[in-house]
Amino acid sequence: MNIVIFGPPGSGKGTHSIKLVERYNLMHLSTGDIFRNQIQNQTDLGKRAKAYMELGQLVPDELVIDMLFSEMLLHKNAKGFVFDGFPRTIVQAEKFDEMLQEKGMPVKLVISLEVTEEELITRLVKRGIESGRVDDSEEVIVKRLEVYKEQTSPLLDYYSRKNIVKHIHGIGSVEEIFNAICRQIDESLN
Ligand code: B4P
């Protein structure tokens, strides 16, 4: 079972992915987490990604795709994956579909978390203060939201055409939202 958790920065993708992998025994693949890890370990990939992330821009597709495909190969025996923060462009989604089709394991569900811009900014500014994440400064947050609208939100149409998108109201307690996501997953499993 492959699930994509989709939404703008700060919509709760990471938050809910962590809970989902536990509930459904899936593998969590967060491209943002992988890049942050590479940056911390000062790898070549990390050094290249850092410049883009600090400015709130997307890391170039070829770097993201190669990295994600190699991560998947490391977990060949996984029952399925929760993709958190991937795909983020049409090019990424198309390459991803080709790859999954070859493996006979298409994306089953896209969970789209819907949160107002005001709430997104409030959450990310708060996280920036608490965690010191450099891309959670107000100026970079505004850029990330712009990038989301231009490059990532068109993916909703892309996946809607495949009839696999479930829209979830993403404001409320984490527990309430998580339960709503699980209801959609359980329905699509039955
Ligand atoms: P990500 O790490 O994916 O960052 P994000 O979009 O902010 O999501 P995240 O999962 O961290 O936050 P969440 O919404 O859970 O990406 C960072 C950067 O990496 C990108 O800007 C880009 O440069 C690069 N990148 C990553 N993937 C890429 C790709 N595929 N292609 C190109 N570049 C890529 O949570 C946010 C905050 O909200 C948290 O503090 C959380 O506690 C809080 N929160 C969550 N749910 C809440 C709720 N219900 N109520 C109140 N607060 C809540």
Side-chain angles (χ1 to χ4, degrees):
M1 177 170 59
N2 288 324
I3 301 173
V4 168
I5 301 291
F6 186 85
S11 55
K13 300 185 296 290
T15 306
H16 294 294
S17 296
I18 292 168
K19 293 168 74 70
L20 284 174
V21 295
E22 206 174 295
R23 162 84 65 107
Y24 295 96
N25 191 21
L26 300 170
M27 185 74 215
H28 183 195
L29 280 185
S30 156
T31 39
D33 284 352
I34 300 170
F35 283 131
R36 281 186 286 278
N37 204 12
Q38 298 273 339
I39 292 171
Q40 204 174 359
N41 293 322
Q42 298 184 6
T43 65
D44 275 350
L45 178 60
K47 284 177 195 154
R48 293 172 75 181
K50 187 170 187 261
Y52 296 96
M53 289 171 75
E54 283 183 353
L55 294 174
Q57 292 166 356
L58 294 181
V59 176
D61 287 334
E62 61 278 13
L63 293 185
V64 184
I65 293 165
D66 288 350
M67 178 202 71
L68 184 101
F69 290 4
S70 4
E71 278 292 322
M72 283 182 76
L73 283 177
L74 294 177
H75 305 283
K76 276 194 187 134
N77 295 327
K79 204 176 106 188
F81 293 89
V82 173
F83 295 95
D84 161 9
F86 180 90
R88 256 175 157 101
T89 64
I90 295 282
V91 171
Q92 290 179 18
E94 286 173 346
K95 295 267 183 218
F96 187 44
D97 272 354
E98 268 170 39
M99 192 268 280
L100 293 179
Q101 212 156 357
E102 275 168 28
K103 291 186 187 295
M105 45 183 280
V107 172
K108 175 129 185 131
L109 255 192
V110 175
I111 299 287
S112 170
L113 294 169
E114 291 170 0
V115 178
T116 58
E117 197 160 309
E118 197 186 358
E119 171 74 11
L120 296 172
I121 295 172
T122 308
R123 288 182 189 178
L124 293 174
V125 167
K126 181 166 175 268
R127 181 172 68 184
I129 294 166
E130 289 167 358
S131 71
R133 223 174 103 166
V134 284
D135 59 344
D136 283 341
S137 68
E138 199 154 351
E139 193 188 330
V140 181
I141 294 166
V142 169
K143 177 70 192 167
R144 286 163 64 200
L145 291 172
E146 259 173 48
V147 167
Y148 170 80
K149 273 187 220 150
E150 280 165 21
Q151 300 184 50
T152 307
S153 67
L155 283 178
L156 263 187
D157 275 347
Y158 177 90
Y159 282 120
S160 294
R161 283 197 292 274
K162 296 179 189 285
N163 246 333
I164 52 173
V165 179
K166 298 289 176 195
H167 298 271
I168 301 282
H169 178 63
I171 299 182
S173 75
V174 169
E175 226 33 63
E176 270 166 15
I177 300 164
F178 182 65
N179 288 336
I181 297 174
C182 292
R183 276 198 296 277
Q184 292 293 348
I185 295 177
D186 294 342
E187 235 171 65
S188 83
L189 281 176
N190 291 325

